Amino acid sequence: MYVSVKGGEQAISNAHAWLAEARRGDAALPELSVEQVEQQLTLAVDRVMAEGACADRGLAALAVKQSRGDLIEAAFLLRAYRTTLPRFGGSLPLDTGAMRLQRRISATYKDLPGGQLLGPTFDYTHRLLEFSLAAAGEAPPPAPEMEPEEPGPPPRVTALLAQEGLMAAEPEGDDDTPPPDLTRDPLSCPASRALRLQVLARGDEGFLLGLGYSTQRGYGNNHPFVGEVRMGEASVEVVPPELGFAIDIGDITLTECQMVNQFKGSLTEPPQFTRGYGLVFGHNERKAMAMALVDRALRGAELGEDGGAPAQDEEFVLYHCDNVEATGFVEHLKLPHHVDFQSELENVRAMRAAQQ
Amino acid sequence: MPEAPSPASLSTPDLTADRQSWLAILARADAATIAARLDGPLPEFARLRGPETGLVMIRGRQGGDGAAFNLGETTVTRCSVRLAEGGVGHAWRLGRDARAAELSAVLDAALQDPARRPALMRAVIAPLAAAQAEAVAQQARRAAATRVKFFTMAAMR
């Protein structure tokens, strides 16, 4: 039983004053602006939007500044803020096939329609610290440009495989029925794939990365290949009731991963490839890939595969991947448990006395 | 039973496709950019709703092309206005730019007026559309410059 405590207002207020000063750091240095965080710590902002489950770069950048760069704390701040806003409705499902691409790579095909576009990537950098960044310098020259050889968005790799009948089709849904929503109804298992994907999309990157890695090391291996990773902008469309037709309300940057996995077939299905799917706000390939690995692992039961690995255990994965929830329960242990512990202490003393 | 069209809608051509086009363009421009394109005062208007900021749940598709799932929310700002001279305009946009949402709603109302449309299309919508198209094209050119060309490597031997 938890017994609450009161008091300590002055101490708490003083602690928060110190926190504010510590956040500011050396006052002789210029203060970091929210715009600087948004523009120059873009991937931290992207991660906070994904795990805070709210796409708003300005709010996420403010949260990063306020949390002193603690990205889980920042996600928590964003989740708390979103509860103050009304829900206007849901968007039409995104058409990620029409994304305006910054980056698009495939590990399964060398030459594919639309080509391999590296985009702004850390891949192939040498991971040597660039000491030139430690000194304020000129802005870098603009990135080179070339006329695209093919106009428009390239076809999906999964569609290329589907043309040959080698890619299992995704079950089509009824777009008029809203998918299950974790923010409205608490999670319960067994969960539909739609609900699992929502949980994974906001799940902790590190937790999903570890689970995805575990599947590669043999804990529920499912032979993954990166069919395609895409990063770019997709249009968000809604149908406002006052208009009665769909309108495009702006672009959102997304990272999508189609993980292609072998499936040896079943009584009703021929041998073919199946998909693990990852979709994340912002530019975050590691998260999209880990999400796709875990999505595919969680489909094991449906595809008749041997289960038992941690990444295949739906309850284990879904109930433990949310870092805001996990932080709440782990960190509550540091709150005063004085009365709790007093009773434990008396118990142990009584047992000790009875034994002697 | 479908409702009989009102006399007004019989005489008004269907503007749905035009409105979809200019609303998408306005949604991608911030308040300062829109205001900079206005060469005259906006018509008098009254706010019907907002501008107000809320959330829209963004949906994706399982596997990219399957059934829908909820990806996560985004902030959205919307506004509805009525012009003093008649005509109602609406705007929805990603983010929290309330001033831009209001300007867009007023422009949506004004653009539906055939007398005002040509000048506003010329001064506001066409230049914004051109700037946005150039930004999209520039990104495509930057991406194209990072295209890995295995066949040129073979030719270089």
Side-chain angles (χ1 to χ4, degrees):
Chain A
M1 186 184 71
Y2 183 77
V3 181
S4 58
V5 293
K6 61 183 287 186
E9 286 90 343
Q10 191 58 51
I12 291 169
S13 155
N14 294 347
H16 291 171
W18 193 1
L19 169 70
E21 197 185 328
R23 170 165 49 224
R24 176 62 182 85
D26 183 351
L29 294 172
E31 185 178 351
L32 194 59
S33 73
V34 171
E35 291 74 18
Q36 285 172 329
V37 174
E38 190 187 330
Q39 290 292 315
Q40 297 176 38
L41 298 178
T42 41
L43 302 187
V45 171
D46 285 350
R47 182 169 178 183
V48 170
M49 290 198 301
E51 292 171 17
C54 183
D56 185 312
R57 300 194 64 79
L59 292 176
L62 175 60
V64 170
K65 177 174 175 176
Q66 184 179 334
S67 67
R68 309 170 68 189
D70 178 338
L71 301 187
I72 293 180
E73 178 75 12
F76 192 173
L77 292 169
L78 199 53
R79 293 244 192 126
Y81 181 78
R82 67 156 282 281
T83 65
T84 66
L85 295 173
R87 171 77 72 86
F88 291 166
S91 79
L92 296 178
L94 295 166
D95 182 3
T96 53
M99 270 164 74
R100 289 168 288 286
L101 299 174
Q102 296 185 46
R103 173 165 166 80
R104 184 260 197 150
I105 51 165
S106 170
T108 52
Y109 292 103
K110 182 167 74 79
D111 295 316
L112 73 170
Q116 312 251 7
L117 309 171
L118 297 181
T121 181
F122 290 130
D123 291 358
Y124 313 112
T125 61
H126 293 113
R127 269 73 184 206
L128 299 173
L129 276 174
E130 285 182 41
F131 288 97
S132 59
L133 289 173
E138 309 248 308
E145 297 178 18
M146 277 172 63
E147 281 307 317
E149 287 168 30
E150 295 142 74
R156 296 173 181 283
V157 166
T158 50
L160 300 176
L161 284 165
Q163 272 177 0
E164 275 189 79
L166 294 178
M167 173 55 70
E170 293 288 330
E172 281 180 32
D174 159 21
D175 283 348
D176 295 330
T177 314
D181 186 354
L182 187 65
T183 68
R184 289 294 183 271
D185 300 300
L187 176 63
S188 69
C189 289
S192 62
R193 184 157 175 234
L195 191 58
R196 295 199 305 250
L197 287 169
Q198 184 182 12
V199 176
L200 298 178
R202 59 198 249 145
D204 182 73
E205 180 178 323
F207 186 83
L208 296 180
L209 177 67
L211 280 173
Y213 181 40
S214 75
T215 68
Q216 292 180 280
R217 293 196 65 255
Y219 293 87
N221 195 3
N222 48 40
H223 308 284
F225 293 91
V226 171
E228 193 168 6
V229 168
R230 290 179 172 221
M231 190 272 288
E233 284 69 45
S235 302
V236 179
E237 292 189 317
V238 296
V239 182
E242 65 271 24
L243 286 171
F245 53 82
I247 57 167
D248 175 345
I249 60 172
D251 290 328
I252 186 163
T253 303
L254 298 159
T255 308
E256 180 186 57
C257 174
Q258 300 270 11
M259 204 64 89
V260 173
N261 304 263
Q262 213 183 84
F263 170 54
K264 56 183 180 293
S266 66
L267 287 175
T268 53
E269 298 282 337
Q272 57 190 333
F273 293 104
T274 55
R275 270 175 262 190
Y277 188 65
L279 185 65
V280 190
F281 288 149
H283 184 186
N284 195 339
E285 240 158 81
R286 187 187 301 120
K287 167 73 178 279
M289 291 175 68
M291 175 175 170
L293 287 172
V294 176
D295 170 50
R296 180 58 182 78
L298 291 173
R299 298 180 68 195
E302 149 206 344
L303 295 166
E305 294 166 348
D306 295 337
Q312 295 169 319
D313 184 332
E314 177 178 285
E315 266 192 57
F316 180 77
V317 174
L318 300 185
Y319 277 109
H320 300 110
C321 71
D322 189 299
N323 56 27
V324 176
E325 271 177 29
T327 294
F329 203 53
V330 168
E331 292 206 30
H332 103 283
L333 291 173
K334 70 194 172 184
L335 297 176
H337 283 69
H338 309 152
V339 178
D340 252 1
F341 188 68
Q342 207 58 40
S343 75
E344 292 273 312
L345 206 55
E346 277 175 31
N347 248 330
V348 172
R349 282 187 183 132
M351 288 191 296
R352 183 67 79 84
Q355 200 186 46
Q356 282 162 358
Chain B
M1 204 175 87
E3 282 179 52
S6 67
S9 74
L10 281 177
S11 60
T12 315
D14 184 15
L15 283 176
T16 302
D18 301 273
R19 292 182 76 188
Q20 284 172 321
S21 163
W22 69 56
L23 286 170
I25 292 160
L26 290 168
R28 287 169 169 76
D30 62 24
T33 311
I34 298 171
R37 292 281 167 198
L38 295 169
D39 51 6
L42 283 172
E44 292 284 306
F45 67 93
R47 289 174 174 175
L48 296 176
R49 182 180 64 189
E52 59 181 359
T53 297
L55 298 168
V56 162
M57 175 57 86
I58 296 185
R59 301 203 168 115
R61 290 192 181 280
Q62 302 173 28
D65 56 4
F69 71 96
N70 288 314
L71 175 65
E73 290 164 317
T74 180
T75 52
V76 167
T77 301
R78 66 183 178 187
C79 186
S80 298
V81 300
R82 183 192 300 282
L83 301 187
E85 64 206 41
V88 171
H90 305 289
W92 287 52
R93 56 185 294 123
L94 292 180
R96 291 167 289 125
D97 192 338
R99 175 79 185 126
E102 186 172 78
L103 281 173
S104 302
V106 175
L107 283 167
D108 178 49
L111 280 158
Q112 292 173 65
D113 175 358
R116 290 183 178 274
R117 194 180 312 138
L120 286 172
M121 288 299 287
R122 206 166 40 241
V124 183
I125 303 299
L128 291 179
Q132 290 167 14
E134 172 47 28
V136 167
Q138 187 190 36
Q139 177 172 301
R141 290 196 300 270
R142 289 181 164 211
T146 68
R147 180 169 174 164
V148 179
K149 292 181 179 170
F150 292 105
F151 52 89
T152 55
M153 285 171 69
M156 280 159 61
R157 266 191 299 200

